[in-house]
Amino acid sequence: MSFLSKSLSRVKPSPTIAVSTMAAELKAAGRDVIGLGAGEPDFDTPENIKAAGAKAIADGKTKYTAPDGIIELKRAICEKFERENNLTYTTDQVSVGTGGKQILYNALVATMNPGDEVIIPAPYWVSYPDMVLLAGGTPVIAEASLQTGFKLTADQLEAAITPKTKWLIFNSPSNPTGAGYSREELKELTDVLLRHPHVWVMTDDMYEHLAYGDFKFCTPAEVEPKLYDRTLTCNGVSKAYSMTGWRIGYAAGPKELIGAMRKIQSQSTSNPSSISQWAAVEALNGPQDFLKTNNEMFVRRRDLVVSMLNDAEGIVCPTPDGAFYVYPSVAECIGKTSAKGVKIENDEVFATALLEEKGVAVVFGAAFGLSPNFRVSYATSDEALKEACSRIQDFCAELK
Ligand SMILES: Cc1ncc(COP(=O)(O)O)c(C=O)c1O
């Protein structure tokens, strides 16, 4: 019998981290590799935020804090929800954790009993199903398609709900597709939830600020106020504020749930870094104008990547509304053979052959629950994107 827990055997290591590791190994071996796998902006953390972190150190704000966050940050979070989302929360309805990841995980650990089901629309962020499994629940995957812009329809949601459903995990704009739900599309889903009062929504709004063109971000409790009492609204500073390494995420929701999450955190990791919390206060309260500048850059890169990928033989790449990912289909490449003789049986083989033959690292679609596709993160320089897309075009042109 293994010394390790049974629940661990149900969980797989993060495929996105596996791709970065493989790319790093090839690079270390002297290969010219372009990584399009990273889920983080290539921009530096804004200076005012870094200065707030440095000041916290200089001021000696380097001790334990309340396990789920300092009151100053909770106030800044309540103000953010009021200002940007029309949602009113009090500080005892807010939890701050070590990244959005810990917040989502705490909420699942706090609520899962054996047999409880969690609906996860696919394509999904890689960690959702494994977090549900680790917390002792059962993921129920509801597959969206390219035809609906990778968005779950009301009928699909209705069909996935059972008496055992506890949560719907909702993520817009989405990792890995960049798809964003309009207010009307989200309303169709919240209407379904109104008919099933036992189902709660865990909304992961991590990419809220990375929304482009005419697309307007919206969040479930704002679109349907009747869901307020059964919604956990999760967010964080990692992506929009280029603070992935600082590790601050947060959520607001019903007091009982927030209290349970606090209990878990107080008996596991305790507070997120005090220094990062002060930096996050500045991120939320400080100037926001750099977001617009960053988004202009992201839109330019998105358009470059979408256009170059659509010019590659056998690739179909929709234009997403937000985040910094595209999720092209390689359906027409399946069954062909690469220049080095690899038969492209599925998207994992496509991604591996692309890395080995052209030195471009992308993440295969099966990792996100919808094939045959791959995910490109365009949070990297224009030059790297141009070179990578041109290599993808060559790779596809050589397929026979
Ligand atoms: C959809 C989504 N949710 C949550 C997270 C986790 O964010 P954090 O780095 O704050 O833990 C990520 C990070 O990749 C993400 O893409």
Side-chain angles (χ1 to χ4, degrees):
M1 259 237 316
S2 167
F3 183 65
L4 302 179
S5 82
K6 281 196 192 117
S7 65
L8 196 66
S9 67
R10 302 207 291 163
V11 172
K12 56 184 184 323
S14 164
T16 43
I17 292 173
V19 169
S20 324
T21 311
M22 200 156 128
E25 278 168 11
L26 285 176
K27 252 188 196 164
R31 291 277 306 274
D32 163 26
V33 173
I34 308 174
L36 303 180
E40 60 182 350
D42 55 324
F43 309 132
D44 199 6
T45 306
E47 285 305 323
N48 61 312
I49 300 175
K50 290 202 280 191
K55 185 169 184 311
I57 297 176
D59 291 350
K61 289 172 174 161
T62 52
K63 303 284 166 64
Y64 289 133
T65 73
D68 64 350
I70 54 176
I71 193 72
E72 290 83 351
L73 180 52
K74 289 187 177 183
R75 280 196 201 115
I77 290 165
C78 290
E79 283 162 23
K80 175 255 176 282
F81 279 126
E82 192 79 58
R83 184 176 66 235
E84 297 182 344
N85 311 108
N86 251 325
L87 291 172
T88 303
Y89 291 110
T90 49
T91 51
D92 54 359
Q93 288 180 282
V94 171
S95 185
V96 182
T98 302
K101 228 173 192 170
Q102 189 183 26
I103 285 292
L104 298 164
Y105 185 63
N106 283 349
L108 290 166
V109 171
T111 53
M112 288 291 98
N113 289 312
D116 285 348
E117 295 176 354
V118 178
I119 298 174
I120 303 173
Y124 46 70
W125 179 45
V126 290
S127 296
Y128 298 144
D130 293 286
M131 281 186 183
V132 170
L133 289 168
L134 270 177
T138 305
V140 172
I141 308 300
E143 237 182 59
S145 67
L146 182 68
Q147 287 68 35
T148 59
F150 302 117
K151 290 178 238 182
L152 193 71
T153 63
D155 288 346
Q156 284 178 308
L157 175 59
E158 185 78 59
I161 293 174
T162 76
K164 292 181 180 164
T165 308
K166 206 148 202 179
W167 288 104
L168 162 69
I169 299 187
F170 179 75
N171 173 222
S172 164
S174 143
N175 177 4
T177 64
Y181 288 69
S182 68
R183 182 169 284 266
E184 294 70 34
E185 286 164 339
L186 180 50
K187 183 79 177 60
E188 285 175 21
L189 298 185
T190 57
D191 282 350
V192 173
L193 295 176
L194 284 182
R195 293 198 288 277
H196 299 277
H198 66 292
V199 182
W200 286 44
V201 201
M202 193 180 296
T203 179
D204 179 352
D205 299 350
M206 193 53 84
Y207 294 93
E208 164 175 14
H209 291 111
L210 305 174
Y212 314 131
D214 293 337
F215 171 69
K216 295 268 172 297
F217 169 84
C218 51
T219 189
E222 173 197 16
V223 168
E224 181 45 83
K226 289 190 196 120
L227 289 180
Y228 178 86
D229 290 333
R230 49 182 168 120
T231 300
L232 185 69
T233 304
C234 306
N235 211 316
V237 294
S238 296
K239 312 284 175 168
Y241 299 93
S242 303
M243 291 177 71
T244 45
W246 295 79
R247 312 305 304 131
I248 295 291
Y250 57 85
K255 278 183 205 165
E256 189 189 7
L257 174 59
I258 294 294
M261 290 164 65
R262 182 187 315 120
K263 192 160 144 190
I264 291 163
Q265 198 156 297
S266 70
Q267 295 291 28
S268 53
T269 59
S270 286
N271 62 277
S273 153
S274 56
I275 298 148
S276 300
Q277 290 190 65
W278 284 103
V281 171
E282 174 62 20
L284 296 179
N285 288 347
Q288 307 288 309
D289 40 322
F290 69 93
L291 292 172
K292 190 164 169 277
T293 318
N294 287 1
N295 282 3
E296 281 162 7
M297 201 121 62
F298 279 139
V299 168
R300 204 186 55 238
R301 291 170 175 179
R302 176 198 65 179
D303 293 345
L304 167 78
V305 169
V306 167
S307 141
M308 286 189 77
L309 289 179
N310 277 320
D311 282 344
E313 240 173 283
I315 291 188
V316 177
C317 184
T319 304
D321 300 307
F324 38 68
Y325 308 105
V326 294
Y327 199 65
S329 161
V330 290
E332 291 169 34
C333 303
I334 303 300
K336 294 188 176 170
T337 303
S338 76
K340 292 207 172 148
V342 177
K343 177 132 193 258
I344 309 297
E345 284 168 357
N346 54 43
D347 53 26
E348 183 165 3
V349 177
F350 179 97
T352 310
L354 178 65
L355 179 56
E356 276 167 7
E357 297 183 22
K358 299 290 178 194
V360 178
V362 298
V363 186
F364 56 94
F368 307 101
L370 192 83
S371 292
N373 292 69
F374 64 90
R375 186 192 78 174
V376 164
S377 162
Y378 55 82
T380 187
S381 73
D382 291 27
E383 298 71 52
L385 290 172
K386 271 186 211 152
E387 175 60 23
C389 290
S390 142
R391 291 190 200 178
I392 295 173
Q393 289 177 347
D394 291 347
F395 179 78
C396 290
E398 287 163 13
L399 292 177
K400 291 272 162 0

